[in-house]
Amino acid sequence: MARGRAQRHNMKSFVYLLLGLIVGTWIQPLYANTVCSHECTPDCTLCSFVFTIDPCLTMMHGDERVVPRNGSLYYYDDATYYNATTGLPINDTVAMPINDTVAKRIITTDGEQARFVISIHDLMSDSASKEHFPGPPIVVYEGQEVEVFFTNRLHADSVSVHFHGIHQKNSPWMDGVPYITQCPILPGVTFKYKFKANPAGTHYYHSQISGQTGLGLYGPLIVKRKQEVYVPEHVMLLQDWNHDLDPETVYLKGVTSAYSCSTSANCSKYEQTRSSDNTKFGNFEFHSGLINGRGRFYDPITGRHNGAPLTRFAVTEGMVYRFRVINAATMYAFRVYVPGHALTVIATDGQDLQRIEVDSFIIQAGERFDVLLNASNPFNVTEYTIIAETLEVNVPVRHIAEAILQYDNVELNKSLSTPDHPCNPRGILPCRVFNCPFKYFSRMPNLTCITLNDANGYAIDPNRDEIIKERYPKRLFLNFAFPGIDTNPGSVNGIRFLPPTVSALTQRSQVNIECNEPCSPDRTPCFCMHTVYINEGDIVEMILLNKGSGKGASHPVHLHGHSFYVAYQGFPEYQSYSGEVLNDNDDVECEDIYCNKAKWRPGQYWQASEINPRIPPLKDTVVVPSGGYVVLRFKADNLGLWYLQSMVDIHNTNGLAVLVDESTSKLPYSPPGYPVCGDYTAFEFPLDDERRELSGGLIALIVISLLLMVALIVLLLLYFHRRKVKVLRTKVFKWCK
């Protein structure tokens, strides 16, 4: 018996061990997959964020209007601030400004109007202020899985969100382009984006629907490396600001004409401003510039600003800081500098650069630059004004965005310092400006341009040599311009992009606006879902042009789904004394006046040097010079339907875009339950006569059904009656017998 008990004990131990292994196998992944909400550490495998998109008014605290003065905010109806008789502000020593804790929660923009903006609420934040303009930061680590829930709480507008800089490898459905990779998110609806955080670097998320980025639907997306040297950092988001109240007004003025009217009979037409190369910017009027959602309005007559509060970046003297600078503008590029402080550019669009020492840099819409700033306090003051100025010339007042660089360990009286930069346009020292869209500044001879041709990347891409040295790439000439006779919409090779009414990636069989006929110069512009095709494994060379009679100002172009090598920028011929464009670059030949078809000039093409080849910078957004071109190269290793677009919002909405189909036929089906959309026309209501006939037929059907049921019941009763009688007879027979 003892032996039997021992055997049973061993068997029981074996069963317990087996159960432990099974349970452990199931539980271990639960502990291995660490889910983090709102704040992610390098150990997290899944980072989750929950946001709502909400309408808000600027310059309001609850239901109370606020006004700016001398960098502070005051309540409009505060009797201590405004004279009840004159309505004018009285002395600041009597007025009581709103305390900083409350003031930081108020969306001010440029302090000039109480107007509609889009704010983003972080539902998982513990901070007192969950309302953000711009949106809250998403900070994750390279390779982590990220899910972001967006609930659209706007009353009348649909939205969609693009994660600018994320390649979306193996998740092309998450790219956020409405009617290309997804259906728009309707009011009241929640959409979950899920993707891998790659590549590392400075990125941002923004609306992909016209005008909404300019209203505030954007925020920083920082993907950090899990092992990197710690440097204190700040994130700086730039934006141009316009007082028009809605995206449709901005767009319609942009494609027609803009007027300012004091009365119905007293109007003045807005004259488009120009860049150093004498090209026009367009009808989007720059009223103010914002840094992290704050700026000041400068009166174009007096040149004075309204004293609205600015964003502050605290630094300690002697430290080095990393500034992650993002341009989320609707149209304008900015030249960024801090008086007296040299800057070191170390990365662009999330990709490392070999260091470039500069005094300022130009950042186009959609671009990102990482720069190091040595907090040396060269003028020994407490505060410096960070300046981001547009490239416009001959404007009545400087068009700038401003912020404060605040030294927190300087024992001096508060004294806002705006000293001249040693190499500013009025200075005497040469000033190095990185990322110029032209060869040199007109009227500013001491500003020296450094273009992307002078920049070098790092050899970290295993495909780099194959991409750069390929002699027979898949070559595409794409001219981003505004051709036409009666109208001049944005187009690529004379074809204006028209999106479908379905999600093209997931409902391709329902797309009915494919480009089936060639677009000849006399029919420019054409309208369709313009698509170019590349195959998996191709080495692709794109020559982006800005040439022909429809060329525009230098404009930024962004490719979804890839980073590319900026192999070369080709600039036009300039007038030596004014900097104006004289003639288009002739490296590329145009076959028609609009340059809808182009090719390399005989004997002219780009090829990497065989001896000590340069490593071009990697980017995902690049400026195409007016009258020039840019050569891009990348490997087709990311299946999807990728949007190649102008980052000038008005131009993109107007059709300045093209799709890149990268072997989408090899993609698996979209995720189960993925939304579909389309026109609501595939049904018909019956006519009144048909409806009556249908009603009569339905009644007849019901009557027949009832009669059949009655007949069935009668038959069943007869059957059971006969069976009962038969059973009774059998019993009687047995009893008699």
Side-chain angles (χ1 to χ4, degrees), residues 9 58 372:
H9 176 75
T58 64
L372 297 180

Side-chain angles (χ1 to χ4, degrees), residues 199-240:
T202 302
H203 311 300
Y204 73 117
Y205 61 91
H206 62 83
S207 173
Q208 203 45 64
I209 290 180
S210 174
Q212 292 181 344
T213 299
L215 288 175
L217 210 174
Y218 69 95
L221 169 57
I222 310 302
V223 181
K224 295 187 174 183
R225 295 186 177 92
K226 292 186 177 180
Q227 294 181 345
E228 63 181 13
V229 178
Y230 170 76
V231 177
E233 64 182 48
H234 293 291
V235 177
M236 182 188 298
L237 295 110
L238 308 178
Q239 180 185 349
D240 44 18

